[in-house]
Amino acid sequence: MPMEKTFDPAAIEAKWAHEWESRGLFRPARPDATPYTIVNPPPNVTGALHIGHALDNTLQDVLVRYERLRGKDALWVVGMDHAGIATQMVVERQLEARQDKRTNYSREDFIDKVWQWKAESGGQITGQLRRLGCSMDWNREQFTMDPHFTAAVVKVFVDLHKKGLIYRDKRLVNWDPKLKTAISDLEVETHEIQGGFWHFKYPLADGVTLDDGRDYIEVATTRPETMLADMAVAVHPDDARYQSVIGKDILQPITGRRFKIVADEHADPELGSGAVKITPGHDFNDFDVGKRAGFKPGEMLNMLDGDANVIQTTDGLIPAEYLGLHRFKRDGKDGARELVVARMKEGGFLIAYVDKDGAEHDAEPRTIQTPFGDRGGVVIEPWLTDQWYVDAETLAQPPMAAVRDGRINIVPKTWEKTFFNWMENIQPWCVSRQLWWGHRIPAWYADDGRIFVAETEEEAQAEAGAGVALTRDEDVLDTWFSSALWPFATLGWPEDTDLVKRHYPNDVLISGFDILFFWDARMAMQGMEFMGDVPWKTLYLHGLVRAPDGAKMSKSKGNVVDPLGLIDQYGADALRFFMAAMESQGRDIKMDDARLAGYRNFATKLWNAARFCEANGISASTSFEAPAATLPVNRWIIGEVAATVAAMDKSLADYRFDEAANTIYSFAWDRFCDWYLELIKPASSEVERGAIDDETKAVAGWVLDQILVMLHPFMPFITEELWTGLGDRADYPLITAKWPAPDVARDAEASADIDWLIKLVGELRTAKAELGLPPGARLTAHFPPSLRTRTDKLAAQLDRLARLEAVSFDPAPAGASAQLVVEGETITVPLEGVIDIAAERDRLTKALAAATKERDGLAGRLNNPSFVERAKPEAVEKARADHAAKDAEADRLTAALARLG
């Protein structure tokens, strides 16, 4: 059946997405082949495809399709994360919409509702990944709450606890007062908030004074309410102002609490007064200062409950009027912060801020970097609680050694420094969350405080003894804890399955740099602890996809791009190719609609090239090896295929996705479509279609096949459609075909001849454009005698492509002419009688003057620091682009004048 005239991405994408999956082509049986394994970073079950997913999964699919074509047993593990907080919030919002709430249900009944939501609405992203063309092993789709995965999670927790690598401790956590759970650093967003900076007097006790006679130390804070739980004031040990009072007591004005002035390098003598109030139970830095000062976490004061309302401290010193207040003003009602400031002011302990006009204010206005929960949307409170922790410092040692000795190769290498900096300073990992949805912690408590950790309640009871009442821990594990097992639990571990034996360690992990610590490093820790080997041999970290102006995408800015909308507009192949072509190691990607349109045009050009081949009797190749070729043009293009395959293999081995994409793009568009097909076209329009010799038909069909195979990892849909449409090979689909391996070398003579011809035609076309001649104008050219053999050999192509009316080896006549220098040889094209020399020289001179004036004006603006520093970035970029364009135009016009002599 003849090909459709126009390329319709939507129709072929739906067709092939179904065809590949229904025929099991994403995971063909290859038991004897070399295994190749990638695990997909599991998206949240609540998630929808965003532009970052589009980049991440495109890069993975490029590698998987490439290795599948190379004959490997390519396994791309796919699945979803249960997303504890996000999923519980979705279901709770549904309940709220019906004037219902979670606490109206038992834990088991609420979890049933979550599973019901997942069955009805969860996992929409899997369909979206299919639209992108992701060739994943959908038959083995994983979920972190599946029974086999849950068993793996429980085993890991119990085994780590037995080894002393998981323990319960009292430490500060990021507490979300709205969700009432600890959250990870990744779930904390920093917002700029307009707040205040208050200065207070803290009286020295027992009549002690500073060297300057003051009987107080000045402290400043953005969170006055925390002074209700202050336990020290810190000064730098080398700060001469406070040497005499280190070890002396402060008498806190509101609570009357006595505490020490301690020496600690956390206090910076250059900031404010150099003295810092210390609240170990409500500030991460203060927690560390408190420990250095000798306070045990169990001794640190806590003044807030889970809702961030004031409660009494263990020493009972908070005045009753503060109890029950929220930490700060909420819903128009003053909180503890406002009352603290009022009482300190009444007592004469507030130091007023004086502005530039001499007016006094309670606080200095400040823009404060404030942590918010990304889902709860309220200010995060550092809160001292009992939580479960992983000894991350111990687990971090094997991964660091693996990166150092090369067992894990981080690409780009520049990320190694960041990796080591974090791992060498790693803190205990809080893995407990106060939720219902998730893997419940396998720990049981006896009434006397003893803790029993076991895989089942029966095992815990056996350990505790008959008759001992046990209560299970209410908390669940951090979602990152379970996803850290993804490289091996998805393969069936802890069972010793064939998949585990064959596909662990994985070959490569493709990941955004932003989860290097939260996921990648933790996979390395757990993989090496439980499997005794690295989870993957290569860790490839890509950048972010940004808005066209380089800004980070965010819903609040309104610059978020929907990849499904881009697929609807440009096609999945164009979006995929854009992502790969723009993925340059160590750099972010800027969205660019013009490039997307360009890659859609590339797909259309390939479609039209295939239609040309079909119309001229060129069909699918019947040989994996290159056909025999005698004609220079065919020997040349076969050599170009070999060079392109070699370049792509090297680029993909080096994870240079941009180089690989641009290599096949350049070959397909420039060498094949623009030159080879032009060179093999019948000599005149009168010749019947298909009047191309058999050798050339065979070579052209073979070359087109090689293009489709090489382009397939990047543009799978159009290449599979063309592969099938150009030949009868339904039983040999492109997705499982063979990667090119032409056993040929570049033909030096043929390459030299055709490359010379291309350069000559290019020079002629440029000269015509510069001189205002129509492209079809036929000219006479005078060649040096040394080129006679070459021009005789390429006579037909010279006639058709160079549009030469006559080829002469006589000296060129006197008068104006265009001088074309090709590979050091000068070809002369007389212009007398072809154009009005004087008029053309006048036109070019005026155009050059105008271009030069504009170029120099733009250069003046760009050399003006005031413009570069004050103008909008996009205005500066436009000026630079305009300057480059005018500079190139001036060069072109100068060359055109030079051609006139």
Side-chain angles (χ1 to χ4, degrees):
M1 181 185 297
M3 288 177 59
E4 296 290 337
K5 288 185 178 180
T6 55
F7 168 52
D8 178 10
I12 67 169
E13 286 168 11
K15 165 187 169 183
W16 285 109
H18 172 75
E19 183 80 4
W20 289 325
E21 188 173 346
S22 64
R23 292 176 59 184
L25 297 174
F26 291 156
R27 188 80 205 290
R30 292 177 175 176
D32 300 323
T34 302
Y36 183 83
T37 314
I38 292 182
V39 294
N40 180 50
N44 287 351
V45 67
T46 58
L49 190 74
H50 59 61
I51 202 69
H53 289 134
L55 169 62
D56 197 79
N57 286 280
T58 292
L59 301 182
Q60 292 176 72
D61 200 35
V62 166
L63 293 179
V64 168
R65 287 180 183 269
Y66 170 65
E67 297 295 356
R68 190 185 293 119
L69 288 166
R70 295 176 75 203
K72 292 185 181 179
D73 176 20
L75 168 63
W76 188 7
V77 175
V78 60
M80 290 182 296
D81 190 286
H82 64 276
I85 294 177
T87 306
Q88 182 162 317
M89 281 186 66
V90 167
V91 178
E92 287 199 54
R93 283 179 187 144
Q94 285 188 342
L95 293 175
E96 288 169 6
R98 300 194 295 266
Q99 283 74 52
D100 203 351
K101 58 183 179 180
R102 170 173 59 92
T103 51
N104 287 343
Y105 299 88
S106 69
R107 183 179 190 128
E108 291 71 23
D109 287 345
F110 177 77
I111 290 173
D112 285 343
K113 287 189 174 295
V114 179
W115 280 108
Q116 182 181 348
W117 170 85
K118 177 184 181 292
E120 295 172 356
S121 307
Q124 64 169 315
I125 194 169
T126 60
Q128 296 165 343
L129 289 170
R130 286 172 166 92
R131 282 202 64 190
L132 190 64
C134 295
S135 58
M136 296 162 161
D137 185 16
W138 295 105
N139 289 327
R140 290 190 62 260
E141 187 175 341
Q142 304 289 299
F143 184 52
T144 50
M145 288 290 284
D146 283 341
H148 80 275
F149 208 102
T150 298
V153 171
V154 170
K155 177 176 174 55
V156 166
F157 186 96
V158 173
D159 287 1
L160 287 175
H161 183 263
K162 288 177 180 177
K163 297 175 183 178
L165 296 173
I166 278 186
Y167 55 91
R168 192 161 172 81
D169 195 10
K170 187 182 288 291
R171 296 175 64 91
L172 280 185
V173 297
N174 296 309
W175 184 260
D176 188 317
K178 181 174 182 181
L179 302 180
K180 298 181 181 58
T181 180
I183 63 175
S184 72
D185 291 341
L186 184 65
E187 293 157 325
V188 176
E189 295 177 342
T190 300
H191 298 171
E192 288 189 346
I193 300 298
Q194 298 306 309
F197 194 48
W198 288 267
H199 295 253
F200 298 107
K201 298 175 182 178
Y202 266 24
L204 292 157
D206 306 321
V208 174
T209 61
L210 297 174
D211 292 345
D212 62 7
R214 282 182 295 155
D215 61 355
Y216 65 88
I217 283 183
E218 179 182 339
V219 296
T221 180
T222 60
R223 302 168 66 210
E225 67 278 9
T226 60
M227 69 172 60
L228 299 175
D230 276 355
M231 299 183 72
V233 166
V235 296
H236 195 279
D238 298 331
D239 193 333
R241 294 170 295 179
Y242 303 115
Q243 288 288 318
S244 64
V245 296
I246 292 174
K248 304 299 182 182
D249 283 356
I250 289 288
L251 196 60
Q252 210 285 327
I254 289 180
T255 61
R257 186 179 299 123
R258 288 178 72 107
F259 47 75
K260 298 291 183 185
I261 299 169
V262 299
D264 195 285
E265 292 185 353
H266 171 64
D268 186 347
E270 303 299 320
L271 289 178
S273 68
V276 183
K277 60 184 279 306
I278 301 300
T279 319
H282 293 281
D283 182 277
F284 288 102
N285 290 322
D286 291 3
F287 179 81
D288 292 334
V289 175
K291 287 200 300 182
R292 290 193 291 270
F295 295 112
K296 296 176 181 177
E299 299 169 341
M300 296 176 182
L301 298 176
N302 175 42
M303 55 166 280
L304 297 174
D305 63 13
D307 293 301
N309 296 327
V310 178
I311 58 173
Q312 187 57 268
T313 50
T314 54
D315 61 6
L317 293 178
I318 297 180
E321 64 177 330
Y322 293 92
L323 302 181
L325 293 179
H326 193 61
R327 53 188 166 165
F328 44 65
K329 180 179 283 190
R330 181 177 63 175
D331 300 329
K333 182 180 179 181
D334 283 350
R337 176 176 298 178
E338 290 71 28
L339 185 57
V340 162
V341 171
R343 295 292 182 258
M344 290 292 280
K345 185 175 183 179
E346 290 169 5
F349 299 107
L350 175 69
I351 301 172
Y353 166 71
V354 181
D355 65 22
K356 61 182 180 180
D357 298 321
E360 290 189 355
H361 305 272
D362 287 352
E364 174 188 351
R366 283 275 182 98
T367 299
I368 302 168
Q369 302 293 322
T370 306
F372 280 74
D374 65 348
R375 292 185 173 88
V378 300
V379 175
I380 293 304
E381 188 66 42
W383 202 44
L384 195 62
T385 62
D386 291 308
Q387 303 282 349
W388 288 94
Y389 290 88
V390 170
D391 180 359
E393 182 180 3
T394 298
L395 292 178
Q397 302 311 309
M400 285 194 288
V403 173
R404 287 193 179 101
D405 64 27
R407 283 174 291 153
I408 292 178
N409 175 35
I410 297 180
V411 181
K413 287 285 186 189
T414 49
W415 281 108
E416 284 190 4
K417 181 178 179 181
T418 306
F419 172 81
F420 285 123
N421 183 58
W422 189 74
M423 294 288 268
E424 288 165 356
N425 297 282
I426 200 165
Q427 298 297 307
W429 172 18
C430 176
V431 294
S432 44
R433 297 291 181 266
Q434 291 64 53
L435 302 168
W436 282 1
W437 172 246
H439 298 105
R440 194 167 178 182
I441 290 175
W444 286 261
Y445 301 92
D447 292 340
D448 59 8
R450 288 181 297 158
I451 304 175
F452 302 93
V453 174
E455 292 189 33
T456 65
E457 186 172 3
E458 291 74 20
E459 291 177 13
Q461 190 68 63
E463 188 178 339
V468 177
L470 295 179
T471 304
R472 187 167 184 178
D473 197 310
E474 292 288 327
D475 292 352
V476 300
L477 286 163
D478 175 17
T479 301
W480 295 105
F481 185 89
S482 51
S483 59
L485 317 185
W486 198 247
F488 53 95
T490 54
L491 302 175
W493 186 90
E495 301 299 323
D496 190 22
T497 65
D498 290 338
L499 279 175
V500 171
K501 295 174 186 175
R502 186 165 172 77
H503 290 280
Y504 190 93
N506 310 159
D507 286 86
V508 61
L509 178 75
I510 305 287
S511 167
F513 71 82
D514 50 338
I515 55 172
L516 170 60
F517 310 127
F518 302 103
W519 187 48
D520 306 344
R522 289 165 177 169
M523 277 190 288
M525 293 179 197
Q526 301 287 41
M528 298 193 75
E529 176 67 23
F530 286 92
M531 304 299 291
D533 200 352
V534 298
W536 7 256
K537 299 156 194 173
T538 297
L539 170 59
Y540 181 88
L541 298 169
H542 60 73
L544 300 176
V545 183
R546 295 183 174 273
D549 61 358
K552 189 173 182 179
M553 292 187 187
S554 71
K555 291 179 181 177
S556 61
K557 292 180 181 177
N559 61 357
V560 174
V561 174
D562 175 16
L564 297 179
L566 295 177
I567 290 174
D568 290 339
Q569 186 174 1
Y570 301 106
D573 285 329
L575 176 60
R576 290 169 58 105
F577 201 90
F578 171 83
M579 291 299 178
M582 298 298 286
E583 171 52 27
S584 181
Q585 289 180 13
R587 299 181 63 182
D588 290 342
I589 293 174
K590 290 182 183 179
M591 286 306 302
D592 187 336
D593 281 353
R595 277 187 177 271
L596 279 163
Y599 294 134
R600 179 191 58 198
N601 295 342
F602 173 50
T604 300
K605 189 175 184 77
L606 187 66
W607 186 270
N608 291 336
R611 289 187 64 234
F612 167 85
C613 289
E614 180 186 56
N616 284 278
I618 298 167
S619 58
S621 177
T622 56
S623 169
F624 183 68
E625 299 298 330
T630 58
L631 298 174
V633 69
N634 292 330
R635 302 200 323 269
W636 165 73
I637 198 66
I638 290 171
E640 291 292 307
V641 168
T644 301
V645 172
M648 289 192 70
D649 283 338
K650 182 179 186 309
S651 296
L652 289 171
D654 294 338
Y655 299 96
R656 291 306 306 254
F657 295 94
D658 54 342
E659 289 182 359
N662 290 320
T663 294
I664 185 58
Y665 178 93
S666 176
F667 176 71
W669 186 299
D670 183 42
R671 303 310 246 183
F672 183 72
C673 294
D674 281 358
W675 288 110
Y676 181 71
L677 294 185
E678 288 298 316
L679 288 165
I680 68 170
K681 277 182 179 178
S684 70
S685 58
E686 286 77 28
V687 177
E688 62 178 327
R689 283 191 179 276
I692 296 176
D693 63 273
D694 290 341
E695 175 192 306
T696 300
K697 287 181 183 178
V699 170
W702 179 83
V703 172
L704 182 54
D705 273 1
Q706 309 316 299
I707 289 173
L708 297 178
V709 178
M710 288 188 281
L711 188 56
H712 180 75
F714 303 91
M715 293 181 133
F717 293 108
I718 186 173
T719 52
E720 188 76 80
E721 178 73 9
L722 293 177
W723 176 270
T724 305
L726 289 169
D728 182 16
R729 43 190 175 188
D731 295 330
Y732 185 55
L734 175 55
I735 190 173
T736 52
K738 289 184 179 180
W739 184 257
D743 187 18
V744 293
R746 208 175 214 154
D747 187 310
E749 181 184 357
S751 293
D753 285 342
I754 301 301
D755 286 343
W756 174 86
L757 175 64
I758 289 171
K759 291 173 187 174
L760 171 63
V761 172
E763 286 289 321
L764 270 168
R765 289 174 176 172
T766 299
K768 287 179 181 178
E770 290 171 350
L771 297 170
L773 290 170
R778 301 188 72 83
L779 305 173
T780 297
H782 292 260
F783 289 79
S786 57
L787 292 176
R788 183 184 291 273
T789 302
R790 178 170 277 173
T791 55
D792 287 347
K793 193 188 311 181
L794 302 171
Q797 288 86 357
L798 276 171
D799 177 68
R800 187 168 66 259
L801 296 182
R803 301 277 181 175
L804 292 178
E805 188 172 56
V807 172
S808 173
F809 297 96
D810 297 328
S817 63
Q819 309 292 315
L820 312 179
V821 179
V822 181
E823 296 183 356
E825 300 269 21
T826 301
I827 295 100
T828 304
V829 179
L831 297 175
E832 294 288 349
V834 176
I835 60 173
D836 184 328
I837 303 296
E840 184 61 17
R841 183 178 286 115
D842 184 56
R843 183 187 72 80
L844 291 171
T845 301
K846 290 178 180 177
L848 176 60
T852 302
K853 182 178 180 181
E854 286 191 59
R855 177 198 65 191
D856 294 346
L858 288 163
R861 291 177 69 194
L862 291 169
N863 289 329
N864 181 352
S866 178
F867 169 72
V868 176
E869 292 168 8
R870 296 181 183 178
K872 290 183 178 180
E874 52 267 33
V876 176
E877 279 300 309
K878 185 177 186 306
R880 286 184 177 136
D882 291 346
H883 176 266
K886 288 300 173 184
D887 193 38
E889 184 181 350
D891 288 344
R892 180 179 62 78
L893 293 166
T894 300
L897 277 168
R899 291 190 195 281
L900 293 178

